[in-house]
Amino acid sequence: MKERLPVPTVVLSAENRTGIEPGSGAGGEAMRLAVILPCYLVEKHIARVIAALPDWVAYIIAVNDGSTDRTGEILAGLARNEPRLHVLTHAENQGVGAAVVTGFQLALKLEADVAVKIDGDGQMDPAELPRLLVPLLDGSADYAKGNRFRSATDFGQMPLARTFGNIALTFLNKLASGYWYVFDPQNGYVAIPREWLQRLPLDRLDKTFFFENSLLVALNIEGARIADVPMRAVYGEEKSNLRIPQILRAFPIRLLRATIHRLLVKYVIYDVSPIFVYLLTGWVLLLFGLTFGGYHWLASVQSGRAASTGTVMLATLPIIIGFELCLQALHLDIVQSPRPGGPYRRVRVEDVPSYFTSEARDIGSV
């Protein structure tokens, strides 16, 4: 019989936020872990993914997102023999984000203490679950996600198109989310405690492949600390639904909107910050300098006469000052980016299963 370690709960105090505190769980009982599986056209993989989940997972929530293959039939068959499996179905395909939100909402109803999202296509190894959960248990982070770029070996295993897409989007995502130290933003292998899940505007998160990015933006606004956990990605015969040209066309616009939303909410609505003042003043000066300078340059070309020194300086100085103000705002945003702390206690990977139980809570019908 395995030893049961002290039970944790999440502490969100801004003054002493040490994450998951041992021995302070409700009634001293072990925690319940819910695994959310968004499923779309995964008839060849979903049975293997569910079979690989460890026995200390309390709830398996599979969301069939309007699959037109045998995914729904296979899930129904598995549910007859797996009491932990809850199958939800979208009549039409709504997107991976919509499927994950549906799973998160059921996890909250089931009163799961921690929710983990694993794709149903077999590209995320369930054996990595304990390592993903360590930052939440040792208090160093409020949210944990996978990172496939920490290892040169694993980096080389990623398909070229997927590698290019992730690298191309990384900087834009850093700007949009405010997590300047986080890499591999499209990695959907994530873990989040119930208390943080309750704070997020789930209904307003993106319903498509932009879901992970919009989730990071929402977490940054709330001040969550994120841990990047190096892990191996699994690439087999499965086909990705990610279309790189489509993503590169759509994501920059969405990331720009997300950037503006985060800056307005975090640095104006929540707290008026010098960052917003620097950005606003900097952009006004930049636009003035570029517009004024461009107009007089064009006039100079057409007339054949050089612009006066005063005109040149009146165009140049606003550009220089505006750029410096924007650079200063960027620096302050990087400095204020929430970062993992601690760890506040030692949690070994091999001990992680002892924090959880597979017994469902008696909460009546959901």
Side-chain angles (χ1 to χ4, degrees):
M1 182 175 182
K2 66 181 181 182
E3 178 186 1
R4 182 68 61 190
L5 295 184
V7 181
T9 189
V10 176
V11 178
L12 296 175
S13 167
E15 293 77 18
N16 185 27
R17 190 174 65 189
T18 56
I20 296 185
E21 290 287 349
S24 55
E29 62 179 14
M31 294 189 300
R32 272 76 174 178
L33 175 67
V35 172
I36 287 82
L37 303 170
C39 304
Y40 180 64
L41 305 180
V42 292
E43 62 179 7
K44 296 181 180 179
H45 314 287
I46 190 59
R48 184 174 70 251
V49 172
I50 292 176
L53 293 175
D55 58 6
W56 42 275
V57 172
Y59 309 111
I60 304 171
I61 303 173
V63 183
N64 179 17
D65 189 31
S67 298
T68 55
D69 61 359
R70 296 180 58 249
T71 297
E73 178 185 341
I74 292 172
L75 287 172
L78 292 171
R80 287 193 287 269
N81 301 311
E82 174 55 85
R84 300 177 298 166
L85 178 58
H86 300 256
V87 180
L88 303 175
T89 302
H90 290 168
E92 298 179 353
N93 178 250
Q94 299 180 30
V96 62
V100 177
V101 167
T102 297
F104 280 163
Q105 289 170 339
L106 180 57
L108 289 173
K109 291 180 181 178
L110 293 171
E111 298 185 4
D113 298 287
V114 180
V116 172
K117 179 246 180 182
I118 298 178
D119 287 343
D121 59 6
Q123 292 188 7
M124 299 172 183
D125 188 358
E128 302 278 8
L129 259 178
R131 291 203 309 118
L132 186 70
L133 293 168
V134 166
L136 305 184
L137 296 172
D138 68 15
S140 59
D142 309 305
Y143 175 88
K145 59 175 288 296
N147 183 351
R148 297 160 292 181
F149 293 96
R150 286 290 182 89
S151 167
T153 302
D154 294 340
F155 184 86
Q157 292 177 352
M158 186 176 294
L160 182 61
R162 188 182 291 266
T163 301
F164 174 76
N166 276 280
I167 292 176
L169 294 170
T170 293
F171 177 77
L172 290 176
N173 184 79
K174 289 175 181 288
L175 180 63
S177 69
Y179 287 111
W180 292 93
Y181 62 90
V182 170
F183 206 70
D184 196 10
Q186 299 308 120
N187 193 306
Y189 203 163
V190 304
I192 182 170
R194 174 183 178 83
E195 285 78 2
W196 279 95
L197 197 56
Q198 290 174 320
R199 298 176 64 170
L200 297 179
L202 295 179
D203 292 336
R204 295 201 295 271
L205 296 179
D206 192 86
K207 302 299 188 290
T208 65
F209 283 109
F210 194 68
F211 170 76
E212 285 86 2
N213 307 80
S214 66
L215 182 58
L216 289 176
V217 172
L219 287 166
N220 184 273
I221 290 174
E222 294 297 330
R225 302 162 301 160
I226 292 182
D228 246 351
V229 180
M231 61 176 52
R232 182 178 62 91
V234 181
Y235 298 104
E237 61 181 14
E238 66 280 346
K239 294 182 179 179
S240 173
N241 294 308
L242 199 66
R243 300 291 178 263
I244 299 301
Q246 178 183 356
I247 295 300
L248 291 178
R249 286 195 303 269
F251 266 40
I253 298 175
R254 294 190 179 189
L255 287 169
L256 177 61
R257 289 203 303 259
T259 302
I260 296 173
H261 170 74
R262 179 179 69 87
L263 294 175
L264 285 175
V265 174
K266 188 171 183 178
Y267 297 127
V268 179
I269 298 175
Y270 280 13
D271 181 25
V272 179
S273 167
I275 292 177
F276 181 77
V277 176
Y278 290 159
L279 278 175
L280 182 61
T281 307
W283 274 107
V284 169
L285 289 173
L286 274 173
L287 289 174
F288 171 80
L290 291 172
T291 303
F292 181 84
Y295 171 80
H296 284 279
W297 173 81
L298 185 60
S300 176
V301 170
Q302 292 176 342
S303 65
R305 290 177 300 185
S308 65
T309 304
T311 301
V312 173
M313 292 301 295
L314 192 57
T316 304
L317 283 177
I319 293 175
I320 295 174
I321 297 173
F323 178 77
E324 288 293 335
L325 288 173
C326 290
L327 197 62
Q328 179 64 18
L330 183 66
H331 170 72
L332 290 176
D333 191 44
I334 294 174
V335 170
Q336 294 186 24
S337 178
R339 293 177 180 272
Y344 297 94
R345 68 196 61 85
R346 182 169 179 265
V347 177
R348 299 182 303 177
V349 174
E350 57 268 28
D351 289 335
V352 169
S354 296
Y355 283 90
F356 297 91
T357 178
S358 61
E359 297 177 4
R361 283 199 173 96
D362 184 11
I363 58 174
S365 174
V366 293

